């Protein structure tokens, strides 16, 4: 991955004046420039519009002269504000001296965007990013600078939400960007290391952590695992990498600079030796759907030895949709039509040469295991899920351990309880005496649905931890007039599936 040109980007505030950063943080909190304060001021529609790069509703909601309205216009909406007015709200002279603000005549303007962000424990955090990048993507504000550092987006919050949050000693954030993953990790890791190929991103990460009142991270410049010590291992690794599959490396924040999906493949393959036993790694990724090859086989081949894996494909786009998405992200659709067409052609040429018919998007979770036969689950799940999902991810791997340790005979001796908020649906023709099939549906976590037979439904319904699975099956066999031995022989596979998918929990 190559270097970064920052020629067209504004100078950044100093990261070496913690006294000023602390005073600025106190001033922001004092004016309720927080996620909750922002929602209360703007209202839900205007607040939601910001995530779509639409600022007009927020501008209309901040036409007053309160300290909070001034701060929203200054740090989030890129509007200059009167110098005389803001001196009552911020330590203006110190902010001018350290580069948080610049002055023009009788007005001041921010040099970076600052977005309030609510931590999972109710923390008031702030995400720093380049001007115009606190909301939406670069395409939303037309910033084409190669080294631009974006703020919080949907991908960032998705990754933060699915990360397992348990106390750990060492965490690593690869490709930190504005520092949101490092900020989350700092809340439960003793030591956090953050890397990025873009030195500007590392500077902004330092600002994000300091302004959020979080401990400083160890910042390393470089690509993938290159900048960290050769023998360093971690309990948690997270990465929202530049995963866009594109012809060339035009925009540092999204284009990995390697052919096809090689960057994501390398990232996953090189992670196994970097994880401590029991450690987790969470990645967002794009992957190619190649003619004559199953995407699940492609992804399984990425998983390093000694790791369990859970791979979830959330979305698939054909090559034309994919090219159009990222051309719009860069704002190319608003430029010269001939240049837009040439770039579109280049994208399709690249896909045609690689025999790519579609691109998948999703997440990959690895866990270091000592098991002789690691579990690799690759599945498609485009349906709505519940966020945050970290506890669901942790529970998935706990179930993998449980099922690995229990053969069918052990399952029949075990006790189970029905997971919370599971409902039963009966599917069939109107007026039919018996349903065609029964569906169990979760209302939490992955919100899965699975088809079961009447025995499976009856079994799940009476699992309250008091009787073993075998005794429940014996009772069902007596009730329906079936041979209990035959029922015990054929039902463990269904029990195993219900445990695997989280419908049943070991008591």
């Amino acid at each position: 991955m190559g270097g970064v040109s920052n020629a067209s980007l504004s100078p950044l505030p100093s990261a070496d004046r913690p006294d000023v950063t602390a005073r600025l943080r106190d001033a922001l909190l004092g004016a309720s420039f927080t996620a909750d304060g922002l929602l209360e001021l703007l209202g839900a529609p205007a607040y939601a519009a910001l995530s779509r790069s639409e600022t007009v509703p927020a501008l209309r909601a901040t036409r007053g002269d309160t300290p909070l309205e001034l701060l929203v216009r200054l740090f989030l909406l890129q509007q200059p504000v009167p110098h005389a007015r803001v001196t009552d709200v911020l330590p203006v002279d110190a902010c001018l001296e350290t580069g948080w603000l610049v002055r023009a005549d009788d007005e001041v303007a921010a040099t970076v965007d600052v977005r309030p962000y609510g931590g999972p424990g109710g923390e008031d955090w702030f995400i720093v990013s380049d001007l115009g990048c606190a909301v939406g993507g670069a395409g939303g504000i037309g910033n084409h600078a190669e080294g631009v550092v974006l703020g919080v987006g949907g991908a960032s919050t998705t990754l933060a939400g699915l990360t397992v949050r348990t106390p750990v000693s060492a965490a690593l954030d690869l490709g930190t960007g504005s520092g949101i993953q490092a900020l989350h990790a700092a809340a439960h890791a003793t030591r956090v290391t953050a890397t990025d190929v873009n030195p500007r991103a590392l500077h902004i990460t330092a600002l994000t952590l300091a302004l959020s009142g979080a401990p400083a991270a160890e910042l390393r410049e470089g690509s993938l695992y290159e900048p960290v010590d050769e023998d360093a291992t971690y309990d948690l690794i997270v990465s929202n990498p530049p995963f866009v599959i594109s012809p060339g490396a035009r925009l540092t924040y999204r284009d990995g600079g390697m052919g096809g999906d090689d960057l994501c493949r390398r990232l996953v393959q090189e992670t196994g030796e970097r994880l401590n036993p029991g450690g987790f790694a969470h990645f967002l990724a794009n992957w190619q759907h190649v003619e004559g090859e199953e995407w699940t086989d492609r992804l399984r081949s990425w998983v390093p030895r000694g790791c369990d894996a859970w791979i979830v494909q959330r979305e698939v786009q054909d090559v034309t949709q994919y090219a159009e998405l990222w051309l719009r992200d860069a704002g190319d659709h608003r430029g010269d039509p001939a240049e837009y067409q040439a770039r579109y052609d280049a994208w399709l040429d690249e896909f045609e040469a690689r025999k790519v018919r579609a691109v998948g998007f999703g997440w990959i979770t690895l866990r270091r295991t000592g098991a002789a036969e690691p579990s690799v689950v690759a599945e498609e799940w485009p349906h709505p899920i519940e966020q945050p999902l970290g506890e669901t991810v942790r529970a998935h791997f706990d179930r993998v351990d449980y099922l690995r340790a229990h053969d069918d005979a052990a399952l029949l001796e075990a006790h189970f309880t029905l997971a919370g908020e599971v409902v039963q649906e009966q599917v069939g023709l109107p007026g039919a005496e018996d349903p065609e099939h029964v569906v169990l549906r979760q209302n939490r976590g992955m919100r899965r649905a699975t088809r079961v037979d009447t025995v499976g439904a009856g079994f799940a319904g009476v699992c309250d931890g008091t009787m073993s699975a075998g005794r429940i099956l014996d009772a069902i066999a007596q009730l329906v007039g079936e041979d209990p031995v035959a029922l015990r022989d054929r039902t463990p596979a269904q029990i195993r599936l219900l445990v695997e998918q989280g419908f049943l929990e070991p008591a």
Side-chain angles (χ1 to χ4, degrees), residues 96-404:
L96 288 168
E97 178 188 347
T98 53
W100 287 95
L101 300 175
V102 292
R103 182 170 182 176
D105 299 325
D106 60 349
E107 292 184 321
V108 295
T111 58
V112 289
D113 273 343
V114 177
R115 179 167 185 172
Y117 181 82
E123 303 93 341
D124 288 316
W125 291 340
F126 300 98
I127 309 299
V128 180
S129 62
D130 270 313
L131 285 175
C133 298
V135 295
I141 47 81
N143 192 335
H144 299 275
E146 182 189 349
V148 68
V149 178
L150 303 190
V152 180
S156 301
T157 55
T158 294
L159 179 59
L162 66 88
T163 299
V164 173
R165 301 293 176 193
T166 55
V168 296
S169 175
L172 174 63
D173 176 15
L174 289 172
T176 187
S178 62
I180 179 174
Q181 309 305 329
L183 181 58
H184 274 278
H188 63 103
T190 304
R191 177 171 56 88
V192 177
T193 302
T195 74
D196 206 290
V197 70
N198 182 359
R200 188 176 183 88
L202 298 175
H203 190 129
I204 283 180
T205 291
L207 296 174
T208 289
L209 292 171
L211 194 58
S212 298
E218 181 184 10
L219 304 175
R220 300 276 187 101
E221 181 183 344
S223 177
L224 300 180
Y225 289 105
E226 291 171 4
V228 299
D229 295 341
E230 188 174 342
D231 58 350
T233 57
Y234 304 89
D235 307 297
L236 174 67
I237 299 173
V238 292
S239 183
N240 177 16
F243 52 64
V244 177
I245 300 170
S246 59
R250 184 169 151 227
L251 296 172
T252 305
Y253 72 87
R254 69 170 203 191
D255 301 324
M258 299 184 190
D261 52 17
D262 281 356
L263 183 135
C264 291
R265 176 186 56 78
R266 272 192 55 190
L267 176 61
V268 174
Q269 288 179 336
E270 293 175 5
T271 292
E273 61 189 22
R274 296 291 187 167
L275 278 176
N276 290 326
F280 282 94
H282 304 274
F283 308 120
L284 300 186
N286 278 185
W287 45 79
Q288 298 171 152
H289 285 225
V290 180
E291 290 179 18
E293 182 180 357
E294 290 293 329
W295 74 268
T296 52
D297 293 337
R298 183 180 188 82
L299 271 291
R300 286 174 186 275
S301 73
W302 292 5
V303 177
R305 285 186 297 177
C307 286
D308 293 325
W310 185 17
I311 302 162
V312 181
Q313 180 167 271
R314 297 287 290 153
E315 184 180 359
V316 181
Q317 291 185 323
D318 68 45
V319 292
T320 59
Q321 292 173 310
Y322 189 80
E324 290 162 14
L325 169 67
W326 295 109
L327 288 166
R328 287 195 302 272
D329 172 81
D332 292 327
H333 60 304
R334 295 196 299 265
D336 175 44
E339 189 174 342
Y340 174 84
Q341 182 174 340
R343 284 186 168 145
Y344 200 151
D345 264 332
W347 226 300
L348 297 185
D349 285 344
E350 178 84 1
F351 285 136
E352 186 175 330
R354 295 178 177 274
K355 298 183 178 180
V356 176
R357 53 182 175 79
V359 177
F361 170 82
W363 68 70
I364 300 171
T365 298
L366 304 178
R367 185 190 59 169
R368 188 76 184 179
T369 180
E373 295 185 15
S375 164
V376 179
V377 176
E379 61 176 323
E380 185 162 15
W381 191 255
H383 311 294
I385 61 171
E386 179 187 39
Q387 280 278 35
L389 202 67
E391 186 58 27
T392 298
V393 173
R394 186 197 58 75
H396 166 89
F397 288 94
D398 285 349
R399 294 193 299 270
V400 166
D401 286 341
Y402 179 86
L403 292 172
R404 206 155 33 200

Side-chain angles (χ1 to χ4, degrees), residues 6-191:
N6 295 328
S8 61
L9 297 170
S10 63
L12 294 173
S14 171
D16 301 322
R17 289 291 302 275
D19 57 325
V20 175
T21 306
R23 290 173 62 193
L24 175 57
R25 173 176 169 78
D26 289 343
L28 298 178
L29 294 175
S32 297
F33 186 64
T34 63
D36 289 341
L38 209 62
L39 179 59
E40 183 176 349
L41 171 68
L42 301 181
Y47 188 75
L50 287 176
S51 66
R52 303 191 300 270
S53 306
E54 297 292 349
T55 57
V56 172
L59 286 167
R60 290 173 60 86
T62 55
R63 289 178 291 190
D65 198 34
T66 67
L68 181 54
E69 287 170 303
L70 286 167
L71 293 178
V72 172
R73 289 204 301 274
L74 179 65
F75 284 117
L76 199 55
L77 301 178
Q78 299 178 254
Q79 302 297 306
V81 299
H83 177 274
R85 182 66 189 91
V86 82
T87 54
D88 298 331
V89 182
L90 296 174
V92 173
D93 290 342
C95 287
L96 288 168
E97 178 188 347
T98 53
W100 287 95
L101 300 175
V102 292
R103 182 170 182 176
D105 299 325
D106 60 349
E107 292 184 321
V108 295
T111 58
V112 289
D113 273 343
V114 177
R115 179 167 185 172
Y117 181 82
E123 303 93 341
D124 288 316
W125 291 340
F126 300 98
I127 309 299
V128 180
S129 62
D130 270 313
L131 285 175
C133 298
V135 295
I141 47 81
N143 192 335
H144 299 275
E146 182 189 349
V148 68
V149 178
L150 303 190
V152 180
S156 301
T157 55
T158 294
L159 179 59
L162 66 88
T163 299
V164 173
R165 301 293 176 193
T166 55
V168 296
S169 175
L172 174 63
D173 176 15
L174 289 172
T176 187
S178 62
I180 179 174
Q181 309 305 329
L183 181 58
H184 274 278
H188 63 103
T190 304
R191 177 171 56 88

